[in-house]
Amino acid sequence: MIELDVLDRNTFGDRQLRDEVLGLFRQQSLEVMARLEATTSATDWKISAHKLKGSALGIGAQTVAQLAAQVEQAFFSDNLSSRDAALAPLRRAVEATNREISGLLA
């Protein structure tokens, strides 16, 4: 869920800016998730998760931010099933947030 009061505060109540920020989040979240799923670097993993956490906080997507913070602390280079298990809740939260964004932008 996006906390609309946070989003409105961070975009100064400007609907055009809000829509632009939401579109950027949607694009960036997909790119970051792809990087998290593909990386073999602990540094890239942490940077990507941290970037997603910050972006999520900016639009008021607290669940995505909390899950990204958890992912940021973990890295499973040698165990792909553990990596997938760690990313699954974040992936679902990003997908739900992006569906909500689609509704807001419609």
Side-chain angles (χ1 to χ4, degrees), residues 33-65:
M33 288 305 301
R35 258 184 267 135
L36 285 168
E37 292 169 352
T39 191
T40 58
S41 161
T43 300
D44 191 35
W45 173 279
K46 289 182 183 301
I47 289 169
S48 296
H50 187 78
K51 184 176 187 177
L52 182 57
K53 177 178 72 175
S55 296
L57 288 171
I59 67 163
Q62 298 300 325
T63 300
V64 172

Side-chain angles (χ1 to χ4, degrees), residues 49 53 64-74 90:
K53 177 178 72 175
V64 172
Q66 290 169 351
L67 291 168
Q70 291 172 9
V71 165
E72 184 179 6
Q73 300 304 311
L90 178 58

Side-chain angles (χ1 to χ4, degrees), residues 2 4 7 10-11 21 33 46 50 78 82 88-89 95 105:
I2 295 174
L4 295 176
L7 179 60
N10 289 341
T11 58
V21 168
M33 288 305 301
K46 289 182 183 301
H50 187 78
D78 58 341
S82 293
E95 289 169 354
L105 295 178

